[in-house]
Amino acid sequence: FNPAEPAEVLFILKKGEVAISRISLDGKKLILSTLGAGTIFGEMAIIGQRMHETFAEALTECVICIMSRRDVEDLLLADARIAVRLVKALGERLSQAEARPEEMAFRPVPARLASLLVRLGTETDWRGRPIVQGLTHQQLAELVGTYRETATTTLGQFRTDGLIEIGRRRITLLDPPGLQ
């Protein structure tokens, strides 16, 4: 979705990854969060925030279910447990959003990028080493709030230091504790 579209649905991400971002007036993109399978987004419109100030973009192939505002309201009224789960999900998202500015202000780019790689390295290669795949250097840069050139230079230093191996849209984490 984008800011020009009506905000009357809730998205349920069943498979894949989606980036939620904003675009500045001068065209720079800042990724606010990345969402994985099992998460929801677009919920702010459902709970009364009638605007999308953000963009949602599929980072990988996705399967997404959509619920109308009315269906969500009916479901929440029918089962309080679902309402509690939604509130918990919103609370977690708020907590993550509040931590992000602190990380951006107080941690240098290499620390932010290393932390991101460790966090995203949930899949493993055939040798059991964590991998991050499907993201370009530009997307990694946007995720940590820097320029592509800075992310590429930092990744190159990580490779030189023996922390990672870089392939086409694939980064193998050779030393996750070293990255941490």
Side-chain angles (χ1 to χ4, degrees):
F1 61 79
N2 66 57
E5 293 178 359
E8 290 291 322
V9 295
L10 173 79
F11 299 93
I12 304 166
L13 183 57
K14 301 296 279 180
K15 174 186 166 202
E17 288 184 297
V18 169
I20 306 297
S21 59
R22 289 197 181 188
I23 307 286
S24 70
L25 293 175
D26 60 351
K28 291 181 183 167
K29 182 195 275 185
L30 174 64
I31 295 181
L32 303 172
S33 64
T34 55
L35 308 174
T39 58
I40 59 170
F41 59 102
E43 72 280 351
M44 296 309 288
I46 297 295
I47 62 169
Q49 300 288 327
R50 293 244 184 241
M51 75 281 184
H52 275 314
E53 294 177 357
T54 58
F55 291 81
E57 174 183 19
L59 297 175
T60 62
E61 185 174 316
C62 294
V63 173
I64 299 173
C65 299
I66 301 171
M67 289 183 72
S68 72
R69 178 185 186 88
R70 182 75 187 142
D71 288 342
V72 172
E73 287 174 354
D74 289 346
L75 190 61
L76 294 175
L77 290 171
D79 190 341
R81 292 174 297 180
I82 295 171
V84 169
R85 286 182 64 188
L86 178 62
V87 169
K88 283 183 181 179
L90 292 173
E92 288 174 22
R93 184 96 40 88
L94 178 59
S95 179
Q96 291 169 359
E98 288 173 344
R100 186 166 168 88
E102 181 179 334
E103 180 176 288
M104 297 291 243
F106 300 132
R107 295 184 73 203
V109 170
R112 295 193 317 252
L113 187 53
S115 175
L116 175 68
L117 292 175
V118 170
R119 194 170 62 243
L120 295 178
T122 56
E123 295 181 46
T124 58
D125 66 7
W126 63 275
R127 290 173 258 178
R129 298 183 305 193
I131 57 172
V132 176
Q133 57 186 357
L135 296 173
T136 65
H137 289 197
Q138 178 66 40
Q139 289 168 322
L140 291 169
E142 291 167 353
L143 286 166
V144 297
T146 192
Y147 297 103
R148 184 199 54 76
E149 295 81 3
T150 304
T152 298
T153 300
T154 303
L155 290 168
Q157 187 60 53
F158 289 169
R159 183 181 58 220
T160 299
D161 294 343
L163 299 170
I164 64 171
E165 192 174 86
I166 301 174
R168 183 153 178 78
R169 284 194 167 212
R170 178 184 176 123
I171 299 171
T172 304
L173 309 185
L174 302 176
D175 184 6
L179 285 168
Q180 287 176 331

